Amino acid sequence: MKLKKSSLAILCFLWSGFFCLFLLPSAEAYGSSTQAEKYPQQISSARFAELAEARVRDELKKTGETRRCEVKITRSAPDMHLPDGNVICEVDLPQQLRYGGIMPVYVSVYLDGTFYRRGICYCQVKVYQTVLVAVHDLLLEKHLSAADVRSEEREVKENASLYLNRTADIEGKVPSRIIRTGQLITRAMLQNPLVFDVGTPVTIVTNYRGVQVKTEGVAMQRGRVGKRIRVRNAKSSKVLTGIVRDADTVEVAGED
């Protein structure tokens, strides 16, 4: 009977020891410091977003951007916990500032002057500008007037100078491509109208040592004022390249 009681006691002892294997070690086993004590400082996700937005807006000012801008942080870096020490954040744009797309913003964190970790935010910049918009389809070679356009504020993705915002900008111009209803109008979409066609007789003008020389010629390409085309000298049949000055004249570079 005593043997049975001894065996039972041994089994109970072993059984309790088995369960002890699954208990978590006490704090004393790792020292008395808790996670909060080891990393008492924090940079919140919201703070990362503030730093990133401020850096992007500063870059917009540096580029001279004066149009209405929206800066949206689409994803911020997560909270970062740091040990005790002096914390400095440096914010950089690894890519050139661009409009419309998503781009990263790096926030490098330094602790006591030594790089600690980097947080990455992602942002989107939208820029708005008052531009001319087609009120109906604008066809090729059709002379434009104020009735063909209206002013509207639109999101844009290019330099301000590329977009037209005054009706005076379209006067005397024609579309170089079909412009659809509601489409905003850029300078690249317009051109001067045709002033003569292929085979039209023109006057070729050049300067030879300070003396203006004129001769008869024939246009070998369609002519628009300000455009460079090829012409043929009617007397020598020599092909020259010059700039269209008006409906009758092509100026060819001469000798000073």
Side-chain angles (χ1 to χ4, degrees), residues 188-237:
M189 295 178 180
L190 305 183
Q191 60 187 353
N192 288 325
L194 286 170
V195 290
F196 55 74
D197 214 330
V198 177
T200 301
V202 295
T203 299
I204 300 174
V205 177
T206 188
N207 285 299
Y208 183 76
R209 296 180 180 179
V211 179
Q212 188 181 71
V213 179
K214 296 182 179 181
T215 188
E216 295 179 353
V218 178
M220 300 184 68
Q221 293 175 277
R222 304 171 86 185
R224 301 177 192 275
V225 173
K227 290 295 183 180
R228 187 177 295 274
I229 67 165
R230 289 180 294 114
V231 292
R232 188 179 70 249
N233 187 310
K235 295 180 179 179
S236 66
S237 296

Side-chain angles (χ1 to χ4, degrees), residues 19 145 178 183 190 233:
F19 277 103
S145 69
I178 295 176
Q183 190 173 2
L190 305 183
N233 187 310

Side-chain angles (χ1 to χ4, degrees), residues 131-134 149-151 164-167 170 183-185:
V131 296
L132 295 182
V133 177
V149 297
R150 67 173 180 269
S151 292
L164 304 180
N165 54 22
R166 303 176 307 160
T167 54
I170 66 168
Q183 190 173 2
L184 57 83
I185 302 173

Side-chain angles (χ1 to χ4, degrees), residues 165-177:
N165 54 22
R166 303 176 307 160
T167 54
D169 294 331
I170 66 168
E171 291 178 359
K173 304 289 185 180
V174 297
S176 59
R177 46 180 275 192

Side-chain angles (χ1 to χ4, degrees), residues 6 71 92 132 161 183:
S6 299
V71 179
D92 299 301
L132 295 182
S161 63
Q183 190 173 2

